[in-house]
Amino acid sequence: MRTELSGHRNEWLDEDAGPVVRPYTLTGGRVRSCADGFDLVAYVLAKPNPDLGAFPELHPEHRLLVALAGRGTPVVELAADLDLAVGVVRVLLGDLLSRGLVAVQQPPRATYLPDNDILKAVVDGLRAL
């Protein structure tokens, strides 16, 4: 269904879905962040009192990310809050990181990985159930 606005059709609105904007539009066609990949559980924290006015090129989604990250929020929650794909949020966060508007705290890397034989035994045990 298309919504009528001011007597003419608006191709970018849908009564059921709301505004229809393709994810690649938000990222300018980019699929990778300018920063290294963000882990899904990495915490994003906005800088205190960021001067967003100094960056007029930022999209509303960039600004929402900064607002949501004011309390420190994992990447996956930011994606859920904005109802955007994680890949899109990672690209937008890379933009914010390169401008110094957010900081990202990556989770610590696992220092011990289980042996393949143990993993195979677990899988075999699960299959036996």
Side-chain angles (χ1 to χ4, degrees), residues 43-56:
Y43 269 81
V44 179
L45 182 62
K47 299 290 180 167
N49 303 315
D51 182 16
L52 295 177
F55 304 101

Side-chain angles (χ1 to χ4, degrees), residues 31-107:
V31 294
R32 295 200 187 273
S33 169
C34 59
D36 287 337
F38 298 101
D39 196 286
L40 289 176
V41 295
Y43 269 81
V44 179
L45 182 62
K47 299 290 180 167
N49 303 315
D51 182 16
L52 295 177
F55 304 101
E57 71 278 5
L58 293 179
H59 295 290
E61 290 78 12
H62 285 109
R63 297 172 192 286
L64 276 171
L65 282 170
V66 171
L68 291 170
R71 66 186 191 286
T73 308
V75 172
V76 70
E77 278 189 40
L78 293 171
D81 289 345
L82 288 176
D83 196 25
L84 290 173
V86 173
V88 172
V89 171
R90 285 177 171 157
V91 171
L92 298 177
L93 286 173
D95 296 343
L96 296 172
L97 187 64
S98 68
R99 288 169 174 82
L101 295 171
V102 297
V104 178
Q105 179 65 44
Q106 297 284 1

Side-chain angles (χ1 to χ4, degrees), residues 91-129:
V91 171
L92 298 177
L93 286 173
D95 296 343
L96 296 172
L97 187 64
S98 68
R99 288 169 174 82
L101 295 171
V102 297
V104 178
Q105 179 65 44
Q106 297 284 1
R109 297 285 176 212
T111 57
Y112 169 75
L113 296 175
D115 185 62
N116 280 341
D117 292 333
I118 294 173
L119 293 175
K120 287 178 185 177
V122 170
V123 169
D124 291 341
L126 290 172
R127 285 184 183 152
L129 294 174

